[in-house]
Amino acid sequence: MTAPTARRFTPVFVATITATSIETKVSGTGADYLICTDAEFLREGQAPQSRTVMAFGHSVEKVRDLLSSGQPVELAVQFDGGTIKALGAPRPKQKAATCAANDDGDSYLAERLA
């Protein structure tokens, strides 16, 4: 029997997402999920990137209400492989941690505070 693989830690951070298209799809289990292909992903202090942004579970309704095509919005997100997993609106503590990480370069501490 094989031991289960440990999940790797992925910190939550704040990023600006500009969606070009927003689609709601249904998974094989019947749950809704949201997908934005080729969305502009901008993290403070870094160059903009084109990424796929997705939301699952309870986050679908939160993110759907915030996103609109062509309008930039700040979201709490995580990296999920090559895609970005959107969680919803950032909490004040997450915003402060993101700003602190960009101001003094101490991202390790900022990630632990998020």
Side-chain angles (χ1 to χ4, degrees):
M1 182 169 187
T2 306
T5 309
R7 291 192 61 123
R8 87 189 136 91
F9 173 75
T10 57
V12 175
F13 58 93
V14 178
T16 302
I17 306 294
T18 307
T20 54
S21 67
I22 304 164
E23 295 180 66
T24 302
K25 296 188 176 188
V26 179
S27 70
T29 60
D32 286 347
Y33 68 96
L34 186 124
I35 184 166
C36 303
T37 54
D38 295 327
E40 183 180 280
F41 166 72
L42 180 62
R43 193 170 178 185
E44 192 172 318
Q46 296 182 1
Q49 301 174 12
S50 179
R51 296 281 181 118
T52 298
V53 177
M54 299 181 83
F56 306 95
H58 298 291
S59 300
V60 173
E61 291 301 319
K62 295 176 191 175
V63 173
R64 184 184 300 142
D65 294 342
L66 296 172
L67 284 175
S68 60
S69 293
Q71 298 296 316
V73 63
E74 277 193 339
L75 293 174
V77 298
Q78 288 179 307
F79 281 113
D80 188 17
T83 64
I84 304 296
K85 184 167 72 171
L87 304 173
R91 292 179 284 187
K93 190 175 181 182
Q94 290 169 330
K95 281 185 159 185
T98 300
C99 291
N102 290 327
D103 290 343
D104 63 9
D106 189 6
S107 61
Y108 178 81
L109 178 60
E111 290 169 359
R112 299 310 176 263
L113 294 173

